[in-house]
């Protein structure tokens, strides 16, 4: 799978993967933090989760999605298998707490609304419902990227280069600074709960147009 992601990245195809819905443990029972694969691949855009409570015309509160750190929270952490990629060199990724002094790939890269309680209204077989999870965030970012490509009249290419380059420098994201996924806590700039933050679509488009 990692080779396939690498082969996709070479011609500039971005793949978006969910960071997991079981907090920093990724559902393991050894009391250690784990990251989810394939989100931990350095050749994909890893998508974490937030809980979003919106007002009529603006975001009221957006925090790390964590209804229960063991069973219903965004994944995220530091890989003990994949080393830190070049695009994350300036992202202040902490060293692994499991593999001594290992500079690993940080997960996630970005985030979006994943809390099922504040999630997406869907209609399936005539039945209305609300869904969430980081598996909803990955297609959210994929759809946004398709719209960006349309507006730019070109492909953004391997998105991680832009995410950690001009977009991070110009802060084209909603920075999430409140909440935890278990082992990690949200902070300014990149963190192992929500990455660089949730999308500000217009700011991302404006930055890509001028970068």
């Amino acid at each position: 799978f990692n080779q396939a992601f690498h082969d996709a990245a070479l011609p500039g195809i971005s793949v978006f993967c969910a960071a997991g819905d079981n907090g920093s443990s990724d559902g393991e029972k050894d009391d250690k933090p784990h990251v989810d694969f394939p989100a931990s691949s350095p050749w994909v855009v890893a998508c974490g989760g937030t809980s979003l409570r919106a007002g009529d015309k603006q975001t009221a509160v957006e925090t790390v999605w964590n209804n229960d750190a063991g069973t219903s929270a965004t994944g995220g952490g530091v890989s003990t298998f994949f080393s830190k990629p070049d695009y994350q060199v300036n992202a202040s990724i902490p060293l692994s707490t499991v593999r001594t002094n290992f500079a690993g790939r940080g997960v996630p890269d970005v985030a979006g609304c994943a809390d099922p309680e504040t999630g997406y209204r869907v209609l399936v077989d005539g039945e209305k419902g609300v869904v969430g999870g980081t598996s909803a965030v990955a297609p959210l970012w994929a759809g946004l990227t398709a719209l960006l490509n349309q507006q730019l009249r070109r492909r953004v290419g391997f998105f991680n280069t832009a995410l950690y380059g001009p977009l991070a420098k110009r802060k084209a994201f909603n920075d999430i600074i409140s909440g935890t996924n278990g082992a990690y806590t949200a902070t300014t700039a990149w963190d192992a709960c929500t990455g660089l933050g949730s999308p500000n679509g217009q700011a991302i488009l404006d930055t890509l147009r001028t970068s």
Side-chain angles (χ1 to χ4, degrees), residues 20-21 48-53 61-68 72-74 111-121 129-137 140:
D21 299 345
T50 69
S51 180
L52 174 66
R53 301 184 185 278
V61 178
E62 189 169 20
T63 60
V64 175
W65 170 42
N66 187 344
N67 296 340
D68 182 328
S72 187
T74 182
C113 180
D115 186 346
E117 294 182 7
T118 66
Y120 304 87
R121 293 179 180 177
V130 178
V131 300
T134 56
S135 292
V137 182
L140 173 76

Side-chain angles (χ1 to χ4, degrees), residues 98-190:
V98 178
R99 183 175 170 184
T100 305
N101 295 325
F102 181 70
R105 153 75 157 131
V107 178
D109 299 303
V110 291
C113 180
D115 186 346
E117 294 182 7
T118 66
Y120 304 87
R121 293 179 180 177
V122 296
L123 181 66
V124 180
D125 294 332
E127 296 292 329
K128 295 181 180 180
V130 178
V131 300
T134 56
S135 292
V137 182
L140 173 76
W141 270 93
L144 173 61
T145 304
L147 293 174
L148 293 171
N149 290 343
Q150 183 183 50
Q151 291 293 317
L152 294 167
R153 297 186 178 182
R154 60 177 172 83
R155 291 191 303 173
V156 299
F158 180 55
F159 210 177
N160 288 15
T161 304
L163 291 174
Y164 289 91
L167 293 173
K169 291 178 181 177
R170 299 191 189 183
K171 299 181 179 180
F173 310 98
N174 302 311
D175 193 5
I176 313 304
I177 59 174
S178 176
T180 175
N181 68 350
Y184 301 96
T185 301
T187 182
T188 55
W190 187 92

Side-chain angles (χ1 to χ4, degrees), residues 68-81:
D68 182 328
T71 60
S72 187
T74 182
V78 181
S79 176
T80 60
F81 184 84

Side-chain angles (χ1 to χ4, degrees), residues 23 26 30 34 58 90 96 109-110 121 126 157 180 182 210:
D26 199 39
D30 59 2
H34 296 269
Q58 63 183 3
N90 297 317
S96 170
D109 299 303
V110 291
R121 293 179 180 177
T180 175
T210 58

